[in-house]
Amino acid sequence: MNAGSAAPELSLRAQIDEFVRDLANTFANILFAVSLFAVWGVLTLIGVIVDQNKDPSFYTANYAPVLARVVLRLHLDNMYHSPPYIGIIALILISLGVCTFKRVIPARLPPLRAVKIEHIPLNATLEVRGEERDVRERIARFFSDRGWQVRKRELGGVEWTFADKHNWARRGVLVAHAGFVIIAAGTTLYWWKGFSGTSAVLTGNTVTIPQTGTRVTLDRFHYRFDPIKTKSGIVYQPIDYVSNVRIVGRDGRERATTVRVNHPIDVGGTLYYQASFGHALNLTLTREGKAIRGVSTAPLMEGDAVPIPGTPETIQYERYVGTIDRKTGQPGPDPRANNPGVVLNFYEGDRLAGASLVRLGQSIDLGSGYRVRAAGSILYSGFEYRHDPGIPLVAIGAFVLLSGLCIAFYFLPARLYVRVDGEAPSWHVGIAATTVKGYDIFEEQFRALVEALERSERPPATAPVPQGQRAPSPIPG
Amino acid sequence: MSIDQIFILIAISAYITSTLALLIYLLSRERWARTIGIPFAFLGCITQFVELFVRWQTSHIWPLTNLYGSLSLFSAMSVAIFIVFALRYDLWFLGGFVLALAAGFLAYGLTWNEGYLPAVPALQSYWIKIHVPLVVSSYAAFMVAAVTSVMYLIKYYFEGVLDARLGRTGGLAAAAAGTAGSGSGDLGLRMQAGNPAAERVTISTLRDSPNIAIAAAHGDMLAQWLATLPSLAKLDVMTYRIVAIGLPLLTVGIITGAWWAKEAWGAYWQWDPKETAALFSWIIYAAYMHLHTRGAWRGLRSAYISVVGFASIMFCYLGVNIWISGLHSYKM
């Protein structure tokens, strides 16, 4: 390789090095991290305000047309799983990592150096008497007795005393950053190895969980709503949702158990939760009094629809009504089964043609000889299952994060610079203080410390001074 | 009138009395106003905690399952946190604002009081006795911090008015000439007067703009009032200290909430509006703490962030509960 081609190569490498250095400095910058926090915050807020994970028709129906278009085109309807959102979290984690290695870990104890006491905003001077060695020893002992780590150095021919406190707390930020990393690792572990899902089981039926092969049979589901008299009237307060199930795990052993809200069950490391319930509907469709072939007889869940063969029409089961008011024929507030019915929607193509409240056991005429009958309902229980091997890591990370925050917030690493000048028997003691959080936060402690030092150096009181006479000053001049 | 209603009436009356007395104290620094305000603040706070306990014992229903109960605790905790800081750092001059807000939130909470409603299944967990008090306490701490920040902004504004009137350098020159004590130049340092050890000890501390002392010495009432307030640096430190209580509480609150969510709903994080709004607030206060490590961001900017943070807390607490439906829509 000749010299002519080596020069531009070095230059390119230097440029790359400089670029990497600049990039690392940017990511390690606190203002950059806070800017990322701000963007993260704004995106999070958008996710709070904009309804998430709804059908596109929801946005067109409920939002202004322009807003609906913006929401759908920018994918604001699924904010928390959108690439920009995940990207900003990734950038924050990168920033956190770079900052940890470039700023937090290298931030060691500042070197012991001479300072101009009066140039440090928190400074004090006091006059003490005694032999130089005694004065220095007394001052060093004063600070070490109060938990300060005292070191002496001769710098430029002057003897300095340095006192440090809570130096270990400088690592609080590092601990907090480590907590974040552990939480991120736990979350990643779930994405990598975990799974979750939902399953609705009709009373008396069995479902198999695809990921584990576990079979869940719902023997009975029951709920309890209590009518409570409030200032606004009767409120039907949900009190309990209970599923009596039999579960067969991978070991092939069947066990009967109960699943309640807040009381999930653990089957082979997968947790099963009581998530929802509902009333499945047995719908019978007839024409001229005869059952129509090809129409599914499976119970419908809320939101399910059945097409009417040979027509563009469909019937959708919208919701279950526990109590139909016998006087008005309208849905009543009581969700408990007492004159129950269902709301059915009728569609022509995509167009909603009408809706009807049908009592259970009754039928309605759809025209052209068609009749639909709400034959009966079956309770079903909705389970959520989740296998998350990252939870212990997330818990540890949360604990570490919290510990880091507490260390960083409640312990204040501080350093005192002490210099003794003068000539025997009178000495000027200059003290200055610096902390990692500036001066203001340490002002009160500094004042208290200096005043305590002054008191400790004050000569013992002699005979009481009679009223009207001046006490002799312990300090000449 | 039931026993808990009597307690509420006592609490609100005590808060109103304390508010008026401490507002007078803020404006006049009359000792008698402070002497009246402090016991009433204690009375209102203790009465509120007693009311919550009585409500729990008489109904056998944990009182924090609805907005009324949580607002009641929020109000009581904000006064309790304020009292702790006021006792430690002599912040009674802020009491008028804190107690007025506490009374306002308690009164607003009463509008959501529908009587004794048993908890819905999702709230029937021991976690409600851990998670809700933690989160509500963090909100309360942030409220007190926001009040300190508002006081900072008020003082900053009026200091600016005085500086504009007297000129920034005029004050220092006068201070150097001894008009207002011995100043020490660019850092605005001043020898501490009134120090019991002043004869033998000189302690430099960070204090007000010299213009306040100059104008106060010339009889300016605004300056005389400003001089009674702690320095901007102290108000900033106070806000930091209160946020340093609130942020760990919010962090533990979010963590315990996540743990509860794992038990109740199967996932520790579901991007529910309440969760994400709490995360948003956490981000703001985390940014506050990060920025406070930089000298340039202490003071005015930090005060603004604290106020914005409390606005986000209010959105998370009341806005999400009332206007946005989700897993945390527990109004009644």
Side-chain angles (χ1 to χ4, degrees):
Chain A
M1 191 181 287
N2 60 36
S5 63
E9 247 187 34
L10 279 175
S11 167
L12 184 64
R13 182 176 294 174
Q15 282 179 17
I16 291 171
D17 286 350
E18 195 182 334
F19 173 73
V20 171
R21 209 167 33 247
D22 285 349
L23 198 65
N25 286 337
T26 305
F27 271 91
N29 188 310
I30 284 184
L31 286 181
F32 179 73
V34 170
S35 306
L36 291 175
F37 269 138
V39 176
W40 186 24
V42 169
L43 294 180
T44 303
L45 190 61
I46 290 171
V48 174
I49 293 167
V50 175
D51 292 277
Q52 295 292 293
N53 301 313
K54 304 279 185 191
D55 192 76
S57 60
F58 172 87
Y59 299 99
T60 46
N62 293 286
Y63 287 34
V66 178
L67 209 56
R69 272 201 301 279
V70 169
V71 167
L72 293 171
R73 284 193 185 161
L74 296 180
H75 304 291
L76 305 182
D77 56 329
N78 188 19
M79 173 57 78
Y80 306 121
H81 299 95
S82 65
Y85 197 83
I86 293 168
I88 220 69
I89 292 175
L91 282 176
I92 285 172
L93 286 174
I94 293 169
S95 167
L96 191 142
V98 175
C99 181
T100 300
F101 287 101
K102 271 194 74 75
R103 292 173 64 99
V104 179
I105 292 175
R108 299 190 188 288
L109 203 58
L112 302 178
R113 61 189 174 84
V115 294
K116 287 192 172 168
I117 296 270
E118 66 280 8
H119 283 198
I120 294 178
L122 285 182
N123 71 72
T125 54
L126 65 153
E127 305 284 321
V128 297
R129 294 174 69 88
E131 291 299 317
E132 182 179 7
R133 176 182 290 272
D134 289 346
V135 168
R136 290 187 189 282
E137 285 304 316
R138 286 204 307 270
I139 288 171
R141 197 166 51 247
F142 172 83
F143 289 119
S144 61
D145 286 350
R146 283 158 179 75
W148 292 79
Q149 184 198 352
V150 176
R151 282 175 292 179
K152 292 178 181 173
R153 294 286 185 279
E154 190 170 313
L155 303 168
V158 179
E159 188 173 328
W160 284 85
T161 301
F162 300 94
D164 289 287
K165 203 166 198 181
H166 295 150
N167 267 322
W168 56 273
R170 288 171 189 269
R171 296 294 181 223
V173 178
L174 178 63
V175 174
H177 281 197
F180 259 115
V181 172
I182 298 170
I183 290 173
T187 312
T188 310
L189 198 58
Y190 167 69
W191 283 347
W192 182 32
K193 292 276 191 185
F195 59 83
S196 64
T198 55
S199 188
V201 191
L202 290 165
T203 306
N205 282 22
T206 301
V207 295
T208 303
I209 304 301
Q211 291 93 338
T212 61
T214 303
R215 292 198 308 278
V216 182
T217 303
L218 179 66
D219 287 333
R220 180 176 178 239
F221 175 82
H222 52 108
Y223 57 80
R224 185 180 139 200
F225 284 85
D226 283 358
I228 311 283
K229 193 177 176 189
T230 70
K231 290 174 185 170
S232 309
I234 298 289
V235 169
Y236 294 89
Q237 186 80 338
I239 303 295
D240 207 359
Y241 308 125
V242 189
S243 295
N244 298 113
V245 294
R246 279 174 290 129
I247 290 195
V248 182
R250 278 182 177 162
D251 56 3
R253 200 162 52 86
E254 184 182 270
R255 59 177 171 136
T257 187
T258 301
V259 189
R260 277 192 156 93
V261 179
N262 277 313
H263 298 281
I265 55 166
D266 187 341
V267 182
T270 302
L271 291 166
Y272 293 79
Y273 301 86
Q274 178 67 59
S276 62
F277 78 95
H279 297 261
L281 173 65
N282 284 322
L283 201 68
T284 316
L285 192 60
T286 58
R287 187 174 190 188
E288 309 296 356
K290 294 176 183 171
I292 302 171
R293 282 186 182 182
V295 175
S296 169
T297 54
L300 303 176
M301 307 284 194
E302 291 89 339
D304 286 354
V306 283
I308 302 175
T311 73
E313 292 166 14
T314 50
I315 305 170
Q316 185 200 41
Y317 167 39
E318 186 192 300
R319 65 187 167 97
Y320 174 86
V321 175
T323 304
I324 298 174
D325 192 307
R326 292 181 196 278
K327 288 179 187 165
T328 63
Q330 295 301 309
D334 190 349
R336 297 171 299 179
N338 177 22
N339 192 28
V342 292
V343 176
L344 299 178
N345 292 328
F346 303 96
Y347 284 90
E348 286 178 4
D350 290 336
R351 189 179 67 84
L352 180 65
S356 184
L357 177 60
V358 185
R359 280 195 179 85
L360 283 184
Q362 290 196 343
S363 61
I364 54 170
D365 187 4
L366 302 179
S368 309
Y370 287 102
R371 286 192 80 80
V372 64
R373 180 165 177 269
S377 70
I378 311 165
L379 271 170
Y380 70 86
S381 183
F383 296 107
E384 184 154 332
Y385 56 92
R386 190 175 183 89
H387 174 67
D388 188 348
I391 279 183
L393 267 185
V394 172
I396 292 167
F399 177 75
V400 172
L401 167 67
L402 193 64
S403 306
L405 289 182
C406 289
I407 292 168
F409 293 168
Y410 303 136
F411 297 92
L412 180 62
R415 168 169 290 176
L416 301 175
Y417 299 81
V418 185
R419 180 178 164 157
V420 179
D421 292 308
E423 284 184 8
S426 179
W427 302 91
H428 298 276
V429 179
I431 307 169
T434 59
T435 81
V436 296
K437 295 177 188 171
Y439 303 106
D440 312 332
I441 201 162
F442 194 60
E443 188 184 337
E444 285 172 16
Q445 290 108 305
F446 182 69
R447 181 192 301 283
L449 199 63
V450 172
E451 287 175 0
L453 177 60
E454 193 276 335
R455 280 195 300 276
S456 75
E457 288 294 323
R458 195 179 294 166
T462 51
V465 180
Q467 230 175 358
Q469 289 184 25
R470 262 180 79 88
S473 169
I475 312 260
Chain B
M1 190 178 273
S2 63
I3 183 79
D4 65 316
Q5 284 174 323
I6 293 170
F7 279 126
I8 287 291
L9 198 64
I10 294 171
I12 289 189
S13 308
Y15 284 160
I16 291 171
T17 311
S18 183
T19 298
L20 294 173
L22 292 175
L23 281 176
I24 291 170
Y25 175 66
L26 170 68
L27 297 172
S28 68
R29 290 300 165 131
E30 294 284 350
R31 294 288 300 182
W32 64 263
R34 180 186 145 119
T35 308
I36 291 172
I38 293 173
F40 275 101
F42 272 95
L43 174 68
C45 184
I46 292 166
T47 308
Q48 264 206 281
F49 281 114
V50 171
E51 187 273 333
L52 283 167
F53 184 75
V54 167
R55 191 176 167 86
W56 180 26
Q57 291 305 307
T58 52
S59 66
H60 303 291
I61 297 167
W62 180 246
L64 306 181
T65 56
N66 53 33
L67 196 53
Y68 163 63
S70 83
L71 274 168
S72 190
L73 180 70
F74 171 70
S75 165
M77 279 307 298
S78 59
V79 177
I81 289 170
F82 167 72
I83 285 174
V84 169
F85 274 85
L87 286 173
R88 173 72 180 81
Y89 299 106
D90 194 21
L91 294 181
W92 293 109
F93 66 95
L94 287 174
F97 296 125
V98 174
L99 286 148
L101 284 169
F105 280 112
L106 178 56
Y108 176 63
L110 284 172
T111 65
W112 290 98
N113 183 10
E114 288 290 335
Y116 302 112
L117 276 169
V120 297
L123 296 181
Q124 293 168 18
S125 166
Y126 60 93
W127 281 111
I128 197 168
K129 293 174 184 166
I130 302 167
H131 168 66
V132 178
L134 281 169
V135 173
V136 170
S137 301
S138 77
Y139 297 167
F142 291 135
M143 190 190 94
V144 181
V147 169
T148 323
S149 298
V150 168
M151 185 51 76
Y152 179 100
L153 294 173
I154 290 171
K155 182 157 186 181
Y156 181 87
Y157 172 77
F158 285 120
E159 272 200 13
V161 169
L162 281 178
D163 284 344
R165 200 187 299 163
L166 298 173
R168 281 187 183 275
T169 53
L172 284 174
T179 312
S182 51
S184 64
D186 55 340
L187 287 166
L189 308 185
R190 193 86 54 75
M191 271 191 261
Q192 174 65 22
N195 180 353
E199 285 183 13
R200 285 179 296 274
V201 188
T202 306
I203 305 175
S204 289
T205 54
L206 296 114
R207 296 187 62 195
D208 289 326
S209 156
N211 283 335
I212 290 181
I214 295 165
H218 285 85
D220 186 308
M221 283 181 64
L222 173 63
Q224 284 172 348
W225 177 69
L226 288 177
T228 64
L229 299 176
S231 67
L232 290 178
K234 279 191 177 172
L235 285 169
D236 182 50
V237 167
M238 209 48 63
T239 308
Y240 173 86
R241 285 189 171 133
I242 303 170
V243 171
I245 297 291
L247 186 57
L249 281 173
L250 182 63
T251 309
V252 185
I254 291 174
I255 291 168
T256 52
W259 208 259
W260 184 6
K262 189 186 92 58
E263 280 191 13
W265 303 322
Y268 54 80
W269 197 263
Q270 304 209 71
W271 297 108
D272 172 61
K274 189 76 161 186
E275 290 171 351
T276 36
L279 175 67
F280 177 67
S281 303
W282 190 92
I283 291 167
I284 291 178
Y285 284 106
Y288 171 94
M289 297 308 277
H290 271 81
L291 289 170
H292 208 272
T293 61
R294 294 173 72 92
W297 279 79
R298 284 185 204 125
L300 182 64
R301 292 169 176 177
S302 291
Y304 279 128
I305 295 172
S306 166
V307 173
V308 169
F310 182 61
S312 84
I313 286 287
M314 281 295 98
F315 173 71
C316 169
Y317 185 18
L318 299 178
V320 171
N321 270 36
I322 295 166
W323 298 313
I324 299 176
S325 65
L327 297 167
H328 282 81
S329 301
Y330 304 118
K331 290 192 274 284
M332 283 168 53

